Amino acid sequence: MANLQTAILTNRGDDDFFIQKAIGWALRDYGKVNPEWGRALVANNVLSSLARREGCKYL
């Protein structure tokens, strides 16, 4: 979980569409296992609208 959070926070400022899409997919997939962590990460950090939209689909 810590490595995933580090990867997301390190790359959240990247403008590449596929990086933002991947951040959202990672949030969505891990959010199925630990939805509280996913909600907290989205609520407490600035993410692109694409990453936020993809990441929150099932939270």
Side-chain angles (χ1 to χ4, degrees):
M1 175 172 43
N3 290 334
L4 178 59
Q5 183 171 346
T6 300
I8 289 170
L9 296 179
T10 300
N11 292 294
R12 68 184 170 171
D14 195 311
D15 291 334
D16 188 276
F17 171 82
F18 293 106
I19 298 292
Q20 295 304 317
K21 192 84 164 170
I23 289 171
W25 288 344
L27 280 169
R28 184 174 62 202
D29 284 347
Y30 194 72
K32 292 176 185 175
V33 176
N34 191 347
E36 296 84 23
W37 176 85
R39 284 187 206 103
L41 187 107
V42 169
N44 296 323
N45 294 286
V46 176
L47 300 173
S48 73
S49 59
L50 174 61
R52 184 177 299 276
R53 184 173 54 248
E54 288 293 327
C56 292
K57 277 190 178 178
Y58 302 115
L59 292 179

